[in-house]
Amino acid sequence: SPSKEVYLNLEQAEMLYDSLRLHADAFIDKDRAALQSLFTVAGAFSSPEKNLCHYTTSVHGEPLTQGTCFFLSPQLVLTNYHVAKKQDPESFSEFYDLEQTVQSFDGESSAVQTLAVSPLHDLALVKTEKSFAVGPVTLGYYQEGLSSLLVSFDEEGTSIERYIPSPEKVYFEKRFLLLENGVLGLASVVLPRLYSPGDSGSPFFQEGMLVGLLSYVDEKDMNSFVSPKIRTFLSEVLNGVEEHD
């Protein structure tokens, strides 16, 4: 947990942090098509656990940090910016012999390449070297008052689903949380229960649609923050890629 928390309004946050850093040259036609399909797929997502994955940063083969991630397509993966940060070219990864890998629900692993990050919304889009068999994803917008589903890993590495009723256990916080390490998480949805820090990046669903990622766990106050700006982030990425072309 951070030793000091600072809350900012939207205008202050946007002045301090980038809403998008895009590595457009890393995209190919297949990546762009996969992003476009996310905005056209309809219907509820029936088996989210098949797209769940582990995100690991290692030094000389020894795990340094671990988080959770989620496949949007056979090669495109979504996680938190703070989980993938050391893969970001603008971070200090050049000073360390760091390796970052994604491990699928079935136990297959692949190295990754960063495509886009949003420090403002604590989101990152990466691409695996290998292609994985995963299900289609439907994007949605977070809706206040709807029950939610958080899918994550337990201590044995098995996926678990946690149903969160609303409005009793989910409420809005219209502010940004500035963390000690400089990562800014959008604290728009707050879950008043404690999850493991390794759950960062776990997908958050409403009515079978992906609406957010678990972003930050405050062990002191036993709150968990969800970043609900997935659709906005991916739309900005797609627009940036198309403008680059």
Side-chain angles (χ1 to χ4, degrees):
S1 298
S3 58
K4 183 178 181 181
E5 297 173 1
V6 179
Y7 288 93
L8 310 171
N9 62 34
L10 177 59
E11 182 178 353
Q12 292 171 317
E14 289 180 334
M15 290 176 62
L16 290 174
Y17 285 85
D18 298 331
S19 62
L20 180 68
R21 296 181 195 161
L22 178 65
H23 312 304
D25 291 333
F27 281 83
I28 61 175
D29 290 343
K30 185 171 64 172
D31 302 328
R32 181 168 51 247
L35 276 180
Q36 291 170 335
S37 71
L38 293 172
F39 295 91
T40 59
V41 174
F45 193 46
S46 58
S47 302
E49 70 279 357
K50 293 181 180 179
N51 290 40
L52 200 63
C53 47
H54 290 286
Y55 198 104
T56 302
T57 299
S58 302
V59 180
H60 302 298
E62 294 295 325
L64 178 66
T65 60
Q66 292 184 312
T68 304
C69 50
F70 191 75
F71 279 98
L72 300 176
S73 74
Q75 285 188 277
L76 298 184
V77 175
L78 188 69
T79 189
N80 295 131
Y81 170 69
H82 77 264
V83 171
K85 185 178 181 182
K86 291 181 174 59
Q87 180 70 1
D88 179 5
E90 295 189 31
S91 73
F92 53 83
S93 61
E94 59 192 312
F95 298 108
Y96 298 89
D97 184 16
L98 294 178
E99 297 178 352
Q100 291 198 314
T101 57
V102 162
Q103 184 181 53
S104 71
F105 183 74
D106 295 328
E108 291 188 63
S109 296
S110 175
V112 297
Q113 175 188 19
T114 299
L115 297 181
V117 298
S118 174
L120 182 63
H121 298 303
D122 194 21
L123 294 170
L125 180 68
V126 304
K127 180 180 178 180
T128 58
E129 292 182 354
K130 294 162 60 174
S131 183
F132 292 81
V134 296
V137 176
T138 303
L139 296 179
Y141 294 99
Y142 181 84
Q143 299 181 62
E144 190 172 9
L146 288 183
S147 60
S148 306
L149 174 69
L150 181 73
V151 182
S152 60
F153 291 106
D154 62 16
E155 292 180 357
E156 285 73 40
T158 303
S159 71
I160 54 176
E161 298 182 353
R162 300 162 178 170
Y163 287 93
I164 304 161
S166 185
E168 293 83 7
K169 299 245 178 132
V170 178
Y171 58 95
F172 271 100
E173 289 281 339
K174 303 288 187 181
R175 58 188 181 181
F176 288 78
L177 179 64
L178 180 62
L179 305 185
E180 183 182 54
N181 63 0
V183 176
L184 187 69
L186 174 59
S188 286
V189 184
V190 183
L191 313 179
R193 63 171 61 185
L194 179 63
Y195 299 107
S196 165
D199 285 341
S200 290
S202 297
F204 198 69
F205 296 89
Q206 288 183 328
E207 297 184 328
M209 294 181 287
L210 179 64
V211 298
L213 293 184
L214 188 65
S215 179
Y216 167 63
V217 176
D218 181 352
E219 298 183 18
K220 179 180 178 181
D221 295 329
M222 296 189 70
N223 283 334
S224 300
F225 297 89
V226 173
S227 175
K229 294 295 184 179
I230 290 176
R231 194 178 179 101
T232 299
F233 168 60
L234 294 176
S235 178
E236 290 178 352
V237 171
L238 185 57
N239 291 337
V241 172
E242 292 175 343
E243 290 176 3
H244 179 78
D245 291 342

